[in-house]
């Protein structure tokens, strides 16, 4: 059998059209501040893509480009200023930061009300408490939307998440648990990974290892979400061997064109949510 491809680009476009309509009806444009420190080429591309995506739906992007040698104090002062600027609804810091700046120290400086990436400890805590008012991190939020576009009810399904990072693996696992899946989180110390993955009705690969997931990891008729973005000599690869997934699974996300576009769409969605929260009558 051939799996159905879960088209993240198309779903993201639908989300963006809906947001555009919603934003057009607002009294002012929501605004997103994006802070980039240094000149990492991949980060610069990501920031440019976010700017373009904002503009396409009517969100005003405000990019702050800081030199690589920016001190913690200088960055903190900018974040404080943006926290206190009422016209800025969301604040995002492009990761990774240069080595002398510790993201775990910097990210909590963003006001939880403007934390559209959902990385602030307050918002992480709210996610664990199933608080629907929190900002859910963009990639995990997009993954759940993709899964539910194919399978609206995932109650009782077995889900395996490979990866336990703060930005993808852990929040995805919590969101799947909130959807009543039975969730197992695998990582680099997990034993018998292929065997474990073969129990998964839903398999989320967020590892950063090109094509780690091959046929022997995939349960027939399952749903596979490939989060990986790996630049290899043979081009951009996911964490899943796409041909194997196509052959064995029922649904699979492509790389590119799967999770990536949904991540940006969810950033826009969180920015509009931040605007609405901050402008409640
Ligand atoms: P991290 O490096 O932070 O985490 C990787 C996780 O994979 C860790 O938990 C690690 O385990 C686990 N792992 C590493 N090797 C193995 C292995 N051989 N077997 C099982 N588990 C393993 O990565 P991120 O979560 O930040 O990102 C994962 C991938 O997703 C990357 O390719 C990244 O580029 C991509 N990504 C894509 C996004 C998108 O929008 N499409 C957004 C964010 C990330 P341990 O904890 O034990 O070290």
């Amino acid at each position: 059998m051939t799996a159905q491809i879960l088209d993240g680009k198309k779903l993201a476009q639908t989300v963006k059209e809906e947001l555009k309509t919603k934003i057009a009806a607002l009294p002012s444009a929501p605004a997103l501040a994006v802070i980039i420190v240094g000149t990492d080429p991949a980060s610069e591309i990501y920031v440019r893509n976010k700017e373009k995506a904002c503009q396409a739906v009517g969100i005003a992007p405000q990019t702050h480009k800081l030199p690589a040698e920016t001190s913690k104090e200088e960055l903190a002062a900018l974040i404080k200023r943006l926290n206190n600027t009422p016209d800025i609804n969301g604040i995002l810091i492009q990761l990774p930061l240069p080595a002398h700046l510790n993201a775990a120290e910097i990210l909590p400086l963003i006001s939880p009300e403007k934390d559209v990436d959902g990385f602030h400890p307050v918002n992480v805590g709210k996610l664990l408490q199933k608080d629907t008012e929190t900002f859910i991190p963009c990639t995990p939020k997009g993954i759940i939307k993709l899964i539910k576009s194919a399978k609206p009810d995932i109650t009782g399904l077995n889900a395996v998440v490979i990866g336990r990072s703060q930005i993808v693996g852990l929040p995805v696992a919590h969101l799947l648990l909130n959807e009543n899946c039975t969730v197992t989180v695998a990582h680099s110390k997990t034993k018998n990974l292929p065997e474990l993955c073969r129990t998964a009705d839903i398999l989320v690969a967020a590892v950063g290892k090109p094509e780690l997931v091959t046929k022997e990891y995939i349960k027939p008729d399952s749903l596979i979400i490939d989060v990986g973005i790996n630049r290899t000599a043979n081009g951009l690869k996911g964490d899943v061997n796409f041909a194997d997934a196509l052959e064995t699974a029922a649904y699979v996300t492509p790389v590119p064109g799967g999770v990536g576009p949904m991540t940006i769409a969810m950033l826009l969605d969180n920015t509009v949510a931040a605007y609405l929260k901050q402008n409640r009558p």
Side-chain angles (χ1 to χ4, degrees), residues 1 3 162 193-205 211-226 239-252:
M1 78 168 271
I162 322 177
L193 187 61
E195 195 182 324
L196 176 71
C197 291
R198 276 202 309 275
T199 66
D201 302 307
I202 297 172
L203 179 63
V204 179
E211 301 186 323
L212 173 87
V213 173
T214 50
K215 209 169 191 167
E216 56 165 347
Y217 288 63
I218 301 173
K219 180 179 175 181
D221 287 339
S222 57
L223 188 156
I224 312 288
I225 299 286
D226 189 352
D239 288 341
V240 177
N241 181 301
F242 190 62
D244 284 2
L246 267 187
E247 208 177 295
T248 315
Y251 300 95
V252 60

Side-chain angles (χ1 to χ4, degrees), residues 57-193:
V57 297
I59 292 174
Q62 190 184 96
T63 304
H64 297 262
K65 277 184 155 220
L66 305 182
E69 58 277 12
T70 300
S71 69
K72 182 184 166 191
E73 291 69 29
E74 286 166 328
L75 182 53
L78 172 62
I79 295 170
K80 191 172 174 189
R81 183 160 64 75
L82 294 170
N83 282 341
N84 294 327
T85 304
D87 291 348
I88 294 292
N89 305 107
I91 304 171
L92 174 153
I93 298 178
Q94 185 63 43
L95 299 176
L97 287 166
H100 68 283
L101 295 168
N102 180 355
E105 286 175 8
I106 299 293
L107 294 175
L109 302 177
I110 297 175
S111 159
E113 300 296 314
K114 298 190 177 185
D115 169 41
V116 286
D117 253 344
F119 296 154
H120 191 287
V122 166
N123 289 324
V124 174
K126 283 185 176 177
L127 171 61
L128 302 193
Q129 293 175 330
K130 292 196 195 177
D131 183 334
T132 51
E133 284 283 290
T134 188
F135 292 111
I136 295 169
C138 304
T139 302
K141 187 173 174 178
I143 290 171
I144 298 296
K145 227 174 157 66
L146 269 168
I147 293 173
K148 294 188 85 174
S149 73
K151 282 183 182 274
D153 184 8
I154 54 176
T155 295
L157 296 185
N158 286 340
V160 173
V161 179
I162 322 177
R164 53 175 165 180
S165 73
Q166 298 286 339
I167 61 167
V168 191
L170 282 184
V172 166
H174 283 293
L175 291 171
L176 288 166
L177 201 52
N178 290 352
E179 295 289 339
N180 298 314
C181 288
T182 303
V183 183
T184 308
V185 182
H187 45 78
S188 66
K189 309 289 185 289
T190 298
K191 294 200 171 95
N192 304 325
L193 187 61

